[in-house]
């Protein structure tokens, strides 16, 4: 007997038939003698609809009320899945975040889970009752509903698996595992049998939305055995594991991209000590994370150009803040640009292999794609390019690193 958490994403519960399919899958695990807890997302499209309703009424709304609205999508699914399980003769009950309780901090809209009391759920599971838990939501210190950020049901599932000391957390979704690139963009992408926590963390934070970044952090910290697999096909998925479980280490395991980027170039900035601090200090005070930074060498030692990137949603605010500094710091021109993406290659094999960046730059040059900025870490190389070349770049890199399926 194993204790399992089974999480089903939006597409997997997107219709009555699909909910019945979920119930049948859960029933099979229960009949195999396992203790099962289920975590569900809202039906596909529902969270977007709810977010949009808030925006239509007031674009700058109260985040606590936003949470009240958007958490309702998951509530509906917990009830429907419980009904579907009962209809198949499986005992089940729904749990909202506040009922478990899943305690979070008070960062409404992007709250973090702080503590989960799994005792009542364990009692139910031991009595053969399947808990069906709302993903994406918890309860804040103010006793109000809090949500975990988009894609947060993954994090609910992994956190619950840790709290219940589950043997595995299975994330059922609309693809049958983690691929070498988003299979919707790269037809030749290959499914990985295993991927390391570290690689999955980089891929998620660099744009692969198959798992929410925080869920991978959580899985890594609590060593939760996590599997990504299909809700529709009966196939083994991808296991996220420790590095020592992977025999053959690839130099690059995956290629990914993030469209949530924007860049600012300051042309003709004075090249003297204190300028960078003067520019980035106020941005950091405003909670704006600057990611890539490129400063040109000035020819005359007096003026230079400075380019940096941030989340696309922060661009307008960043420009506003910078404009206030213009008098004291001085530059010839400020050029904002939203039409950029960050494309990254990730792999633990990079640690012991030189030349990855070179292969990457060469592959992009062959397609005439200009690189606007570069960052590297131990297991990834990222480049910023024009958004017009996203798919071309991802495919070219996938081929260049030998990842294409036969
Ligand atoms: P769910 O609603 O089940 O949470 P998501 O839409 O959040 O599903 O995540 C699954 C999607 O992630 C896939 O449909 C796929 O397009 C996308 N994706 C991006 N990168 C990858 C990758 N490397 N491997 C698999 N899927 C990926
Ligand atoms: N329903 C939420 C979203 O669409 C959470 C999730 O699906 O993980 O972002
Ligand atoms: Mg998701």
């Amino acid at each position: 007997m194993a204790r399992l958490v089974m999480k089903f994403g939006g597409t997997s519960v997107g219709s009555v038939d699909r909910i019945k399919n979920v119930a049948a899958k859960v029933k099979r695990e229960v009949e195999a003698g396992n203790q099962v807890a289920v975590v569900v997302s809202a039906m596909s499209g529902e969270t977007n609809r709810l977010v949009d309703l808030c925006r239509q009424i007031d674009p700058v709304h109260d985040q606590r009320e936003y949470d009240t609205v958007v958490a309702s999508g998951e509530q509906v699914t917990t009830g429907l899945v419980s009904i579907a399980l009962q209809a198949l003769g499986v005992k089940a009950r729904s749990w909202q975040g506040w009922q478990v309780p899943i305690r979070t901090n008070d960062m409404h809209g992007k709250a973090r889970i702080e503590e989960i009391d799994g005792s009542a759920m364990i009692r139910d599971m031991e009595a053969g009752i399947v808990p069906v838990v709302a993903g994406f939501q918890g309860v804040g210190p103010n006793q109000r509903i809090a949500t975990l950020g988009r894609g947060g049901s993954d994090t609910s599932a992994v956190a619950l698996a840790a709290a219940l000391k589950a043997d595995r957390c299975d994330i059922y979704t609309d693809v049958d595992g983690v691929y070498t690139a988003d299979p919707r963009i790269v037809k030749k992408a290959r499914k990985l049998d295993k991927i390391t926590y570290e690689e999955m963390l980089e891929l998620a934070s660099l744009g692969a939305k198959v798992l929410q970044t925080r869920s991978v952090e959580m899985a890594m910290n609590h060593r939760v055995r996590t599997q990504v697999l299909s809700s529709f096909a009966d196939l083994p998925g991808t296991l996220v594991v420790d590095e020592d479980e992977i025999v053959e280490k690839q130099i690059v395991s995956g290629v990914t991209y993030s469209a949530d980027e924007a860049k600012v170039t300051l042309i003709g900035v004075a090249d003297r000590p204190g300028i960078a601090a003067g520019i980035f200090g106020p941005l950091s005070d405003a909670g704006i994370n600057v990611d890539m930074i490129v400063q040109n060498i000035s020819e005359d030692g007096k003026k230079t150009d400075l380019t940096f990137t941030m989340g696309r949603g922060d661009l307008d605010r960043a420009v506003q803040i910078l404009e206030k500094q213009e008098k004291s710091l001085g530059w010839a021109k400020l050029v904002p640009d939203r039409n950029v993406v960050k494309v990254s290659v990730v792999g633990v094999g990079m640690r012991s292999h030189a030349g990855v960046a070179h292969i990457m730059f060469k592959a992009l040059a062959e397609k005439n794609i200009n690189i606007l900025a570069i960052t590297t870490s131990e297991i990834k190389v990222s480049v910023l390019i024009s958004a017009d070349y996203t798919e071309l770049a991802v495919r070219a890199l996938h081929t260049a690193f030998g990842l294409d399926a036969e």
Side-chain angles (χ1 to χ4, degrees), residues 7 9-11 172-175 177-179 181-184 208-210:
K7 179 257 172 180
T11 315
Y172 288 87
T173 183
D174 56 3
V175 279
V178 179
Y179 277 68
D182 186 341
R184 288 179 206 278
K209 71 165 184 168
V210 60

Side-chain angles (χ1 to χ4, degrees), residues 45-85:
E46 182 61 8
T47 309
N48 285 346
R49 187 183 75 84
L50 296 167
V51 170
D52 193 51
L53 289 176
C54 297
R55 288 203 183 128
Q56 277 184 48
I57 292 181
D58 184 354
V60 278
H61 41 258
D62 181 342
Q63 285 298 94
R64 292 161 299 189
E65 301 308 347
Y66 163 93
D67 280 347
T68 300
V69 175
V70 299
S72 67
E74 271 70 12
Q75 175 164 342
V76 171
T77 326
T78 57
L80 293 175
V81 171
S82 300
I83 292 171
L85 281 167

